[in-house]
Amino acid sequence: MNLVLLSGGSGKRLWPLSNDARSKQFLKLLNDEENQPESMLQRVWNQISKSGLSENAVIATSKSQVEIMYNQLGSDIALVTEPYRRDTFPAIALAVSFLYSEKKVPINETVTVMPVDPYVEDFFFEKISLLEDALINSNADLALMGVKPSFPSQKYGYIVPEIGSYSSENSFVPVNYFKEKPDAELASELINQGALWNCGVFSFKLSFVLDYLEELKIPTDYNILANSYDMLPKNSFDYEIVERAQNIVVQPYEGYWKDLGTWNTLTEEMNSNIIGKAAMSEELKNSHIINELQIPVVMMGIENAIVAASPDGILVTNKERSPEIKKYAEMFSDRPMFEERRWGWYKVLEHNKYDEGNQVLTRRLWVESGKNISYQIHFKRTEVWTLVKGEGLLILDNNIQHIRAGDTIKIPLGKKHALKAITDMEIIEIQVGSELTEDDVTRFSYEWDDIMSQITQHVNI
Amino acid sequence: MNLVLLSGGSGKRLWPLSNDARSKQFLKLLNDEENQPESMLQRVWNQISKSGLSENAVIATSKSQVEIMYNQLGSDIALVTEPYRRDTFPAIALAVSFLYSEKKVPINETVTVMPVDPYVEDFFFEKISLLEDALINSNADLALMGVKPSFPSQKYGYIVPEIGSYSSENSFVPVNYFKEKPDAELASELINQGALWNCGVFSFKLSFVLDYLEELKIPTDYNILANSYDMLPKNSFDYEIVERAQNIVVQPYEGYWKDLGTWNTLTEEMNSNIIGKAAMSEELKNSHIINELQIPVVMMGIENAIVAASPDGILVTNKERSPEIKKYAEMFSDRPMFEERRWGWYKVLEHNKYDEGNQVLTRRLWVESGKNISYQIHFKRTEVWTLVKGEGLLILDNNIQHIRAGDTIKIPLGKKHALKAITDMEIIEIQVGSELTEDDVTRFSYEWDDIMSQITQHVNI
């Protein structure tokens, strides 16, 4: 079975920890078996690996998530990168073309699509393996996973089975219809009819989606499709495919399933009431502090509250209201103040904009031993690097030099530069210029050997 | 009349805005008549100036407050600086010796002592002027100001007058006894007897305290006393003097008087519910955000709450509990992250301590045009200055040079340096060393002309 993991958009619902560069699935707020911080992405990837599904798994993602994906899962993972965000149908179609034309997957093989971040038991992934049998034995177009509801939720979609269709022989049942977000009364009624929550997991034969693409006269070759991505209808897979499919079955999953997409649902799964440097008055049992800043947070006398602090901002909310953060977070949308990159991470210490149009931005960069920053150039800023830890190789203006803690380097506007860490490095970087964004960068190459081959002078190594 | 303003200790009760370098009286949380931010110190000093008392006013303070005093009130104010913190009796005794031996105040003149930060009406200071008459007409040792109580508070001290002693002839009455923090019932009873709150304002003839010092065989010369400060009993003026005085009168003040010493009392006097970059859900009427950070604060759905954020930390509290902050703040006592200095201010952007014992600290310095940083040397750190704004003169290692935005300067450990701003300057400073505290500094001189006379080489101006 081939697994396609959909890694979704930014989501401001976990602001200030989530931002455009760090969606909710990347936040390290859970704990792994050794009690180390773990993101939802890492948790799911571990579960997939344990269930033996990771070898044939690809992650469908967007450009802005590539660096953090490599950072959290390592560089061996297979990524299918959308040229830009469109919707779930285009993302799945691109992944299908990748399996077909790049990985040469036979067209009668099963493909299972799922979100990259459900909070579920390990057992969920055994059930995913069984979807292939359901698809084959039912001869359906689509086999879905349905979660047995634990309460009549009004915020999920329901998969309603055909009446009287449950049997002891099969693990699956035919689907009658779908119902999005019913009211409480209808939800209860649907549950009585055996309806299940739609958790966004579905299997199909590779040919099923390929045939549909051909019908729309859309190329099925990955490289061609990636370059004509706007040909794909900007639509969700649910509307574009699921609603048109004639023959759909669903396989129930009876176990823990949760969408940790808002602060109130997420904090319920956290091992501890405090993450980071913080203190709370003793009587508070149902309040949480998540502090990514270096400065301490103190909370006194407020029950059912969540305080979340990151370099992007500070949220103070009661739990019930926490899903409303989106609209407030948008008032302050600024550049991201923290990002994980392939080579390590950076954190903005301060960003000042002066009346005269000049800007100054101070960042701390952490570069992992052996990793390198791509060969690049900025046209709107100079940079001053002060190395405070470690050593590495710097390429600047066609020269290579060995640099160490204590060195200060000026990178003038318009000069090509690259860096490779020999040991873990820390750098305080001061940017000065007219526009200080992550977009002001032209990259020449990423691989160090390739960068080395482009320079001609070797000095002072 | 000579006025002595007592500028008290640090106070963690307004953490995280107050710290050892910035006591509550220096916080700019009020608004002046032009709606500009104003500190409690500045408010009182303006009131004193308006009432004509500032010419003969001295401020008794400690070393750690000198720089911020000059910053907020200008360099013309008269300061009496304790060599170290002891108590109110030593502080007043030192101020008395200053008036006597330095300012040559005649010994029969009146001295009035008051705290530097009561929140009162302008009318309060007219009443202070009248204390001199009360002292003379009553022939008492001490004339106190007493605030007419507005409710039976259990947290103030009460001044109880002699029974039946109020008269229409005099503005003062003889004091019978004092009662600290009575319970509610006793407080009501005392108020019925005409008792007044003790607001720490008292007048005496200069000779009264001088005589007492001579009795204790303590020198009355300012310079001698400042160098033998430990001879003074470590005691409050109330215990050392007021309790022993035979003949005390009190003059009532009927008007607004408040101690804005805790977050709940302070926020009541603030013009706006939000200071700084922040948003609140619309329904919140009785909550406050005070944000000194650059990153936004969002508060949703919590009534009667205070959020205060500064480079020192973040406080989230309900109003009633806010006076308890002291004990939590002490858990995190670190170096101050923001300080106002004679030459401008600095703000710590980040302070990292590494396992190997090395530390890195990044600050932004703002130096006001025309001001200078003293000639100094550090023995435990190197500094790298990157000038991001303005221009100035740098003296480093016996050389003077003109420096401008864009320059980067290394100040090695053990090298003397000084800086004078030609225009307003901003500097990003990176400190690297084994111990990064404000104490690691040896100052050679403060006056620029004096510094210039010490250097012998002039290069590159």
Coordinates of all heavy atoms in Angstrom, one line a residue, chain B residues 310-352:
Chain B
S310 N 7.2 42.8 30.0 CA 8.4 43.6 29.9 C 9.6 42.7 29.5 O 9.5 41.5 29.6 CB 8.7 44.3 31.2 OG 9.5 43.5 32.0
P311 N 10.8 43.3 29.2 CA 11.9 42.4 28.9 C 12.3 41.5 30.1 O 13.0 40.5 30.0 CB 13.0 43.4 28.6 CG 12.3 44.6 28.1 CD 11.1 44.7 28.9
D312 N 11.8 41.8 31.3 CA 12.1 41.0 32.5 C 11.1 39.8 32.6 O 11.5 38.8 33.3 CB 12.0 41.8 33.8 CG 13.2 42.6 34.0 OD1 14.3 42.3 33.5 OD2 13.1 43.7 34.7
G313 N 9.9 39.8 32.1 CA 9.0 38.7 32.2 C 7.6 39.1 31.8 O 7.3 40.2 31.4
I314 N 6.7 38.1 32.1 CA 5.3 38.3 31.7 C 4.4 37.9 32.9 O 4.6 36.8 33.5 CB 4.9 37.4 30.5 CG1 5.8 37.8 29.3 CG2 3.4 37.5 30.2 CD1 5.8 36.7 28.2
L315 N 3.6 38.8 33.3 CA 2.6 38.5 34.4 C 1.2 38.4 33.9 O 0.8 39.3 33.1 CB 2.7 39.6 35.5 CG 1.6 39.6 36.6 CD1 1.8 38.4 37.5 CD2 1.7 40.9 37.4
V316 N 0.5 37.4 34.3 CA -0.9 37.2 34.0 C -1.6 37.0 35.4 O -1.3 36.0 36.0 CB -1.2 36.1 33.1 CG1 -2.7 35.9 32.8 CG2 -0.4 36.2 31.8
T317 N -2.5 37.9 35.8 CA -3.0 37.7 37.1 C -4.4 38.3 37.2 O -4.8 39.2 36.4 CB -2.2 38.5 38.2 OG1 -2.7 38.3 39.5 CG2 -2.1 40.0 37.9
N318 N -5.3 37.8 38.1 CA -6.5 38.5 38.3 C -6.2 39.6 39.3 O -5.2 39.6 40.0 CB -7.7 37.6 38.7 CG -7.6 37.1 40.1 OD1 -6.8 37.5 40.9 ND2 -8.5 36.2 40.5
K319 N -7.0 40.7 39.3 CA -6.6 41.9 40.0 C -6.4 41.7 41.5 O -5.5 42.1 42.1 CB -7.7 43.0 39.8 CG -7.6 43.6 38.4 CD -8.4 44.8 38.3 CE -8.2 45.5 36.9 NZ -9.1 46.6 36.7
E320 N -7.4 40.9 42.0 CA -7.3 40.7 43.5 C -6.0 40.0 43.9 O -5.5 40.4 45.0 CB -8.5 39.8 43.8 CG -9.1 39.9 45.2 CD -10.3 39.0 45.3 OE1 -11.3 39.3 44.6 OE2 -10.2 38.0 46.0
R321 N -5.5 39.1 43.1 CA -4.3 38.4 43.5 C -3.0 39.1 43.2 O -2.0 38.7 43.7 CB -4.3 37.0 42.8 CG -5.5 36.1 43.2 CD -5.3 35.5 44.6 NE -4.2 34.6 44.7 CZ -4.2 33.3 44.3 NH1 -5.3 32.8 43.8 NH2 -3.1 32.6 44.5
S322 N -3.1 40.2 42.5 CA -1.9 40.9 42.0 C -0.9 41.2 43.1 O 0.3 41.2 42.9 CB -2.2 42.1 41.2 OG -2.9 43.1 41.9
P323 N -1.3 41.6 44.4 CA -0.3 41.9 45.4 C 0.6 40.8 45.7 O 1.7 41.0 46.3 CB -1.1 42.4 46.6 CG -2.4 42.9 46.0 CD -2.7 41.9 44.9
E324 N 0.2 39.5 45.3 CA 1.1 38.4 45.7 C 2.3 38.2 44.8 O 3.0 37.2 45.0 CB 0.2 37.1 45.7 CG -0.8 37.0 46.7 CD -1.8 35.8 46.5 OE1 -1.3 34.8 46.1 OE2 -3.0 36.0 46.7
I325 N 2.4 39.0 43.8 CA 3.4 38.7 42.8 C 4.8 38.6 43.3 O 5.7 37.9 42.8 CB 3.4 39.8 41.6 CG1 4.5 39.5 40.6 CG2 3.5 41.2 42.2 CD1 4.3 38.2 39.9
K326 N 5.1 39.4 44.4 CA 6.4 39.4 45.0 C 7.1 38.1 45.1 O 8.2 37.8 44.7 CB 6.3 40.1 46.4 CG 7.5 40.9 46.7 CD 7.3 41.7 48.0 CE 8.6 42.2 48.5 NZ 9.0 41.7 49.8
K327 N 6.4 37.1 45.7 CA 7.0 35.8 46.0 C 7.3 35.1 44.7 O 8.3 34.3 44.6 CB 6.2 35.0 46.9 CG 4.9 34.4 46.4 CD 4.2 33.4 47.4 CE 2.8 33.1 46.9 NZ 2.1 32.3 47.9
Y328 N 6.5 35.2 43.7 CA 6.8 34.5 42.4 C 7.9 35.2 41.7 O 8.8 34.5 41.1 CB 5.5 34.5 41.5 CG 4.5 33.6 42.1 CD1 3.4 34.2 42.8 CD2 4.5 32.2 42.1 CE1 2.4 33.4 43.4 CE2 3.5 31.4 42.6 CZ 2.5 32.0 43.3 OH 1.5 31.2 43.9
A329 N 7.9 36.5 41.7 CA 9.0 37.3 41.0 C 10.3 36.9 41.5 O 11.3 36.8 40.8 CB 8.7 38.8 41.1
E330 N 10.4 36.7 42.8 CA 11.7 36.4 43.4 C 12.3 35.0 42.9 O 13.5 34.8 42.9 CB 11.6 36.4 44.9 CG 11.8 37.8 45.4 CD 11.2 38.1 46.8 OE1 10.8 37.1 47.5 OE2 11.3 39.2 47.3
M331 N 11.4 34.1 42.5 CA 11.8 32.8 41.9 C 12.7 33.0 40.7 O 13.5 32.2 40.4 CB 10.6 32.0 41.5 CG 9.8 31.5 42.7 SD 8.2 30.8 42.0 CE 8.8 29.5 41.0
F332 N 12.5 34.1 40.0 CA 13.2 34.3 38.7 C 14.1 35.4 38.7 O 14.5 36.0 37.7 CB 12.1 34.5 37.6 CG 11.2 33.4 37.4 CD1 9.9 33.5 37.8 CD2 11.6 32.2 36.9 CE1 9.0 32.4 37.7 CE2 10.8 31.1 36.7 CZ 9.4 31.2 37.1
S333 N 14.6 35.9 39.9 CA 15.4 37.1 39.9 C 16.6 36.9 39.0 O 17.4 36.1 39.3 CB 15.7 37.5 41.3 OG 16.5 36.5 41.9
D334 N 16.7 37.8 38.0 CA 17.8 37.7 37.1 C 18.4 39.1 37.0 O 17.9 40.0 37.7 CB 17.2 37.2 35.7 CG 18.2 36.4 35.0 OD1 19.4 36.6 35.1 OD2 17.8 35.5 34.2
R335 N 19.3 39.3 36.1 CA 19.8 40.7 35.9 C 18.7 41.5 35.3 O 17.9 41.0 34.6 CB 21.1 40.7 35.0 CG 20.9 40.0 33.7 CD 21.9 40.4 32.6 NE 21.6 41.8 32.3 CZ 22.6 42.7 32.1 NH1 23.8 42.3 32.1 NH2 22.3 44.0 31.8
P336 N 18.7 42.8 35.5 CA 17.7 43.7 34.8 C 17.9 43.6 33.3 O 19.0 43.6 32.8 CB 17.9 45.1 35.4 CG 19.2 45.1 36.1 CD 19.6 43.6 36.4
M337 N 16.8 43.6 32.6 CA 16.8 43.5 31.2 C 16.5 44.8 30.5 O 16.6 44.9 29.3 CB 15.7 42.5 30.7 CG 15.9 41.1 31.3 SD 17.5 40.3 30.9 CE 16.8 39.2 29.5
F338 N 16.2 45.8 31.3 CA 16.0 47.2 30.8 C 16.5 48.2 31.8 O 16.1 48.0 33.0 CB 14.5 47.4 30.4 CG 14.2 48.8 30.0 CD1 14.4 49.1 28.6 CD2 13.8 49.7 30.9 CE1 14.1 50.4 28.2 CE2 13.5 51.0 30.4 CZ 13.7 51.4 29.1
E339 N 17.2 49.2 31.4 CA 17.6 50.2 32.4 C 17.7 51.6 31.7 O 18.2 51.7 30.6 CB 19.0 49.9 33.0 CG 18.9 49.0 34.2 CD 20.3 49.0 35.0 OE1 20.5 50.0 35.6 OE2 21.0 48.0 34.9
E340 N 17.2 52.6 32.4 CA 17.4 53.9 31.9 C 18.7 54.5 32.5 O 18.9 54.3 33.7 CB 16.2 54.8 32.3 CG 15.0 54.6 31.5 CD 13.8 55.4 32.0 OE1 13.9 56.6 32.0 OE2 12.7 54.8 32.3
R341 N 19.5 55.1 31.7 CA 20.8 55.6 32.2 C 20.9 57.1 31.9 O 20.1 57.6 31.1 CB 21.9 54.9 31.5 CG 22.1 53.4 32.0 CD 22.5 53.3 33.4 NE 22.6 52.0 33.9 CZ 23.7 51.2 33.7 NH1 24.8 51.7 33.0 NH2 23.8 50.0 34.1
R342 N 21.8 57.7 32.5 CA 22.1 59.1 32.3 C 22.2 59.4 30.8 O 21.7 60.5 30.3 CB 23.4 59.4 33.0 CG 23.7 60.9 33.3 CD 25.1 61.0 33.7 NE 25.5 60.2 34.9 CZ 26.1 60.7 36.0 NH1 26.4 62.0 36.1 NH2 26.4 59.9 37.0
W343 N 22.8 58.5 30.1 CA 23.1 58.8 28.6 C 22.0 58.3 27.7 O 22.0 58.4 26.5 CB 24.4 58.1 28.2 CG 24.6 56.7 28.8 CD1 25.3 56.4 29.9 CD2 24.1 55.5 28.3 NE1 25.3 55.0 30.1 CE2 24.5 54.4 29.2 CE3 23.2 55.1 27.2 CZ2 24.2 53.1 29.0 CZ3 22.9 53.8 27.0 CH2 23.4 52.8 27.9
G344 N 20.9 57.6 28.2 CA 19.9 57.0 27.4 C 19.3 55.7 28.0 O 19.0 55.8 29.2
W345 N 19.3 54.6 27.3 CA 18.8 53.4 27.9 C 19.4 52.2 27.2 O 19.9 52.3 26.0 CB 17.3 53.3 27.9 CG 16.6 53.6 26.7 CD1 15.9 54.8 26.4 CD2 16.4 52.8 25.5 NE1 15.4 54.7 25.1 CE2 15.7 53.5 24.6 CE3 16.9 51.5 25.2 CZ2 15.3 52.9 23.3 CZ3 16.5 51.0 23.9 CH2 15.8 51.7 23.0
Y346 N 19.3 51.0 27.8 CA 19.6 49.8 27.1 C 18.5 48.8 27.4 O 17.8 48.9 28.3 CB 21.0 49.2 27.6 CG 21.0 48.5 28.9 CD1 20.5 47.2 29.1 CD2 21.5 49.2 30.0 CE1 20.5 46.6 30.3 CE2 21.5 48.5 31.3 CZ 21.0 47.3 31.4 OH 20.9 46.6 32.6
K347 N 18.4 47.8 26.5 CA 17.5 46.8 26.6 C 18.2 45.5 26.2 O 18.8 45.4 25.1 CB 16.4 47.1 25.5 CG 15.2 46.2 25.6 CD 14.1 46.7 24.7 CE 13.6 45.6 23.9 NZ 12.6 46.0 22.8
V348 N 18.1 44.5 27.0 CA 18.7 43.2 26.7 C 17.8 42.4 25.7 O 16.6 42.3 26.0 CB 18.9 42.4 28.0 CG1 19.4 41.0 27.6 CG2 19.9 43.1 28.9
L349 N 18.3 42.0 24.6 CA 17.5 41.3 23.6 C 17.5 39.8 24.0 O 16.6 39.1 23.8 CB 18.0 41.5 22.2 CG 18.1 43.0 21.8 CD1 18.5 43.0 20.3 CD2 16.8 43.7 21.9
E350 N 18.7 39.3 24.5 CA 18.8 37.9 24.8 C 20.0 37.7 25.7 O 21.0 38.4 25.5 CB 18.9 37.0 23.6 CG 18.4 35.6 23.8 CD 18.7 34.7 22.6 OE1 19.7 34.8 22.0 OE2 17.8 33.9 22.3
H351 N 19.9 36.8 26.6 CA 21.0 36.4 27.5 C 21.1 34.9 27.6 O 20.2 34.3 28.1 CB 20.8 37.0 28.9 CG 22.0 36.8 29.8 ND1 21.9 37.2 31.1 CD2 23.2 36.3 29.6 CE1 23.1 36.9 31.7 NE2 23.9 36.4 30.8
N352 N 22.1 34.4 27.0 CA 22.3 32.9 27.0 C 23.5 32.5 27.8 O 24.5 33.1 27.7 CB 22.5 32.4 25.6 CG 21.2 32.3 24.8 OD1 20.3 31.7 25.3 ND2 21.2 32.9 23.6

